[in-house]
DNA sequence: TACAAATAGGATAATTTTATCCGAATAAAC
DNA sequence: GTTTATTCGGATAAAATTATCCTATTTGTA
């Protein structure tokens, strides 16, 4: 029996396998929600928490927290009460950058943090992978700072990209 | 009093601010430990858990788990008992890539995962940031697959790079 | 053989992230 | 004004990650 059981023990990893690519789940939901809100605000439509959670396939209550966070950071607007919901002023859609959303939810460690977790990333006291990481981090930073919600919202509207599955 | 307290409530974020750049803490420790082991194995020196944890400034018992994981993945060797410790066969140091370590600890989501957490990253069913992420992920992948422990270990030995602080 | 110095590994605790629940506040419609 | 639909926010729970403790096992040395 001991022998049989040992065969079943194939998952020898410490954790159950980091499933996160770059951002926290909260941040992923925040990004997707923002894109969905933008795509609707583009048509002058306000969307409710329920619609958002359904569209981006996220847990409703958790998504609510994240949206509140974005509202507090003045990235999106909320309207309480019947017929309320979330929206982004049409003329602001194209000026909201992904970096603002990431920053609000995950903070700025993605822009400034050391790839190996040293307390600070410093040219004069680099970690072993500093040079290799610097470029990638910079590219990521540029991308986030130069991608705005309008471009992404249009792709969703046209069916060129998707928010779930 | 209400008013004074409200001023103290400056941290309006959901979480206490994601401090992770790319990898889990476990993975960061694993990478740093591997580099340190390599730099010593280069001189034919075996290092103990205690020395490693001290050098990379990590919690000893947790580091032990991670090292066990790397041993099981045959990335490093361990020797039990007095004068035991961890080592990497000299001739293997230059062939061990960062990607092997990351893969053993964090899995392959960093290479294959969708930036917005869609179930799969798929050209035919892309998320809104698919095109933007693809390049960065590829660059990261190339870097991890092309960087070996020897290069990094030598920088540590020469004092050109650092493992803590 | 006994002892000392290590790693291995199971159990458990602490912390953080993710998720849920519920009542309060708000605003539109009737 | 009452009802209804909705966000807000506090409290709490669940799950995952990070961390600690303790015992067993292994191996070199006296
Ligand atoms: S010091 Fe580690 S990335 Fe710069
Ligand atoms: S589908 Fe999201 S990165 Fe490819």
């Amino acid at each position: 029996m001991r022998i049989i059981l040992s065969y079943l023990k194939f998952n020898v990893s410490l954790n159950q396998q980091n499933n996160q690519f770059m951002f926290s789940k909260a941040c992923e939901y925040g990004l997707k929600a923002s894109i969905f809100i933008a795509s609707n605000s583009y048509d002058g439509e306000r969307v409710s928490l329920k619609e958002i959670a359904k569209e981006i396939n996220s847990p409703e209550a958790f998504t609510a927290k994240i949206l509140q966070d974005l509202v507090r950071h003045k990235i999106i607007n909320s309207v309480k009460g019947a017929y309320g919901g979330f929206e982004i002023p049409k003329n602001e859609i194209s000026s909201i950058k992904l970096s603002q959303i990431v920053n609000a939810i995950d903070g700025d460690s993605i822009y400034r943090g050391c790839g190996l977790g040293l307390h600070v990333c410093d040219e004069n006291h680099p970690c072993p992978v500093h040079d290799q990481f610097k470029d990638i981090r910079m590219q990521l930073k540029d991308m986030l700072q130069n991608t705005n919600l309008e471009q992404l919202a249009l792709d969703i509207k046209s069916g060129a990209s998707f928010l779930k599955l």
Side-chain angles (χ1 to χ4, degrees), chain A:
Chain A
M1 193 53 182
R2 259 271 215 57
I3 296 165
I4 293 170
L5 283 176
S6 78
Y7 271 104
L8 293 173
K9 207 177 168 185
F10 49 82
N11 184 355
V12 290
S13 284
L14 178 58
N15 291 342
Q16 81 210 28
Q17 214 69 198
N18 190 337
N19 206 53
Q20 225 46 38
F21 175 33
M22 289 255 171
F23 306 125
S24 65
K25 276 245 159 283
C27 194
E28 289 178 359
Y29 296 151
L31 288 165
K32 288 195 268 195
S34 299
I35 294 167
F36 180 60
I37 295 167
S39 79
N40 280 273
S41 292
Y42 204 84
D43 298 334
E45 298 284 349
R46 188 182 289 163
V47 284
S48 71
L49 167 63
K50 208 169 290 188
E51 294 174 273
I52 295 169
K54 190 177 175 194
E55 178 68 20
I56 72 176
N57 197 30
S58 67
E60 222 174 284
F62 188 45
T63 307
K65 299 296 184 195
I66 298 160
L67 292 173
Q68 284 170 34
D69 208 352
L70 294 176
V71 169
R72 280 189 294 258
H73 279 88
K74 303 192 189 308
I75 293 168
I76 62 179
N77 286 157
S78 67
V79 178
K80 283 184 182 179
Y83 291 78
F86 299 88
E87 64 192 6
I88 299 175
K90 218 166 175 171
N91 64 315
E92 290 180 15
I93 296 177
S94 66
S95 60
I96 297 176
K97 305 297 193 302
L98 294 190
S99 57
Q100 297 174 252
I101 298 164
V102 171
N103 219 297
I105 301 173
D106 274 355
D108 63 358
S109 68
I110 204 168
Y111 307 112
R112 312 160 41 73
C114 163
L116 291 191
L118 296 198
H119 195 251
V120 293
C121 172
D122 176 356
E123 287 292 339
N124 298 123
H125 190 279
C127 74
V129 298
H130 174 80
D131 291 332
Q132 289 92 332
F133 266 91
K134 217 175 33 176
D135 293 346
I136 291 170
R137 195 180 50 190
M138 179 73 77
Q139 201 183 325
L140 179 61
K141 180 181 169 180
D142 283 354
M143 187 274 270
L144 293 173
Q145 291 181 336
N146 291 316
T147 306
N148 70 67
L149 286 184
E150 186 175 34
Q151 311 161 214
L152 307 181
L154 289 174
D155 285 346
I156 289 297
K157 280 166 59 67
S158 75
S161 70
F162 307 86
L163 287 169
K164 66 177 162 188
L165 247 172

